[in-house]
Amino acid sequence: MQRERVSDNVYWFQSETYAQVSAGAIAGPQWAVVIDTLMPQETLDIREFIEGKLNLPIRYLINTHHHADHCWGNYFFPNATIIGHELCRKMLVDRSPAALEVASQDNPLYRQLKIVPPTITFREGSFNMKIGKKHLKLFPTPGHSSDGIAALIEEDRILFSGDAFMPIPFIVEGDLDQYIETTQKIASMGLENIIQGHGDIILRGEIKEKAKENITYLRAISKAARTAIRRKNPLEVLDSIGIEACGKSRVLLGGLASELHKRNLRALYYQTLENEKNEA
Ligand SMILES: [Zn+2]
């Protein structure tokens, strides 16, 4: 795991084992808040840093959304109160135990885990916290998933975006129009940094361009899915639409980008097919 201090009392952690997933922490005078957990293998490194090096108990843990790489480490913070979107709690309760069981068959490490859902939830508006002198504001950011929330440190204008902002938008469990809307909202917030759910920190001067690139990509894959549907061999057509043709590089996220792109196209194709069936 890599670790960096982003601002006074604000830390960023990035996985070295899985898809450059990131997490964060804000240290107050008496306790700390953690934002997301990485994959369970690296969760303990975060805990060790905060409890061991900073010598602070972790009082709150925020889940930006229910995906495994962001919150299956919840189990390792038994003394923290977990905060997330109401739908994050619902999906962790309804769906994740079965997914954990499947994962446990391949990886014995998961057998020691349990899914722990948030106990404090909200649905809309914002949820505000004070950590020392810093104000933290949580608000919904749907698109990548319906339960997405982001965390803004108001004084620093630093946003922990979760997967609402990532090097290549991933919409398989999401909604494309909401994703675009959320991206536009984030780009207009006057931020200093975006700490993306995956990949590197985005600096102030890069935000507009990255947001535009993500929106261009989302529109391109939407168009690609609609085009494929009109063809005789839609799945072959889909497979022939490369990531570069949609405005993104294949080297993003350590080369995982091409795979995510493929899954995006398939998911959109089936969503579009479904929508057209319902309209017919
Ligand atoms: Zn995700």
Side-chain angles (χ1 to χ4, degrees), residues 4 15 50 63 76 80-81 89 92 101 105 109 112 116 125 128 130 139 153 176 198 226 254 256-257 269 273:
E4 205 172 289
S15 171
I50 297 167
N63 288 158
F76 294 108
T81 299
R89 176 177 165 81
L92 281 173
E101 194 149 327
Q105 287 163 9
L109 194 84
Q112 56 169 319
V116 183
N128 298 286
K130 192 155 183 273
F139 60 94
I153 307 173
L176 192 126
H198 297 258
R226 277 180 280 123
L256 195 65
Y269 168 75
L273 211 58

Side-chain angles (χ1 to χ4, degrees), residues 2 17 22 28 31 56-57 59 80 91 113 167 196 198 245 266:
Q2 295 208 35
T17 60
S22 63
W31 43 267
L56 290 170
R59 184 178 282 185
M91 289 191 267
L113 287 187
Q196 310 185 89
H198 297 258
R266 293 260 164 161

Side-chain angles (χ1 to χ4, degrees), residues 34-247:
V34 168
I35 301 166
D36 283 348
T37 69
L38 305 184
M39 289 301 259
Q41 301 91 310
E42 289 171 309
T43 308
L44 291 174
D45 296 341
I46 299 179
R47 200 176 81 183
E48 170 55 27
F49 171 70
I50 297 167
E51 291 182 347
K53 290 245 167 58
L54 302 180
N55 203 17
L56 290 170
I58 296 156
R59 184 178 282 185
Y60 296 104
L61 167 59
I62 294 159
N63 288 158
T64 61
H65 62 299
H66 71 288
H67 289 160
D69 46 342
H70 298 267
C71 63
W72 278 14
N74 285 358
Y75 180 68
F76 294 108
F77 300 93
N79 299 318
T81 299
I82 305 174
I83 303 170
H85 194 283
E86 198 177 294
L87 292 173
C88 174
R89 176 177 165 81
K90 183 169 168 36
M91 289 191 267
L92 281 173
V93 170
D94 292 351
R95 291 203 214 155
S96 300
L100 176 62
E101 194 149 327
V102 172
S104 301
Q105 287 163 9
D106 293 335
N107 188 338
L109 194 84
Y110 291 118
R111 279 176 217 151
Q112 56 169 319
L113 287 187
K114 282 196 176 73
I115 298 292
V116 183
T119 51
I120 295 184
T121 62
F122 70 108
R123 173 177 274 280
E124 50 195 24
S126 65
F127 182 98
N128 298 286
M129 307 171 70
K130 192 155 183 273
I131 308 148
K133 290 194 174 112
K134 294 190 199 264
H135 291 81
L136 188 69
K137 180 177 171 178
L138 312 182
F139 60 94
T141 48
H144 167 77
S145 59
S146 56
D147 67 332
I149 61 169
L152 172 72
I153 307 173
E154 305 213 46
E155 286 76 7
D156 299 319
R157 303 305 296 167
I158 293 173
L159 183 76
F160 287 90
S161 67
D163 291 355
F165 217 103
M166 56 191 284
I168 173 169
F170 186 56
I171 57 102
V172 168
E173 287 188 35
D175 179 289
L176 192 126
D177 292 331
Q178 281 186 333
Y179 217 145
I180 290 175
E181 206 176 299
T182 291
T183 305
Q184 283 164 337
K185 179 179 175 176
I186 291 173
S188 68
M189 285 177 68
L191 298 170
E192 202 55 46
N193 297 123
I194 299 175
I195 299 184
Q196 310 185 89
H198 297 258
D200 290 333
I201 296 179
I202 297 179
L203 309 176
R204 183 175 52 183
E206 306 170 321
I207 291 173
K208 285 247 146 68
E209 185 199 319
K210 299 273 184 201
K212 202 173 139 200
E213 199 186 289
N214 282 1
I215 291 169
T216 301
Y217 172 76
L218 287 166
R219 292 200 171 123
I221 56 174
S222 166
K223 194 172 159 208
R226 277 180 280 123
T227 307
I229 277 182
R230 313 265 161 266
R231 304 285 289 273
K232 255 201 274 184
N233 48 347
L235 294 180
E236 276 167 47
V237 172
L238 273 191
D239 285 344
S240 72
I241 300 167
I243 185 168
E244 271 104 358
C246 299

Side-chain angles (χ1 to χ4, degrees), residues 225-226 228-231 234-235 265-280:
R226 277 180 280 123
I229 277 182
R230 313 265 161 266
R231 304 285 289 273
L235 294 180
L265 283 178
R266 293 260 164 161
L268 272 180
Y269 168 75
Y270 288 114
Q271 275 176 27
T272 311
L273 211 58
E274 195 62 27
N275 290 342
E276 295 200 347
K277 232 187 262 164
N278 291 340
E279 279 164 20

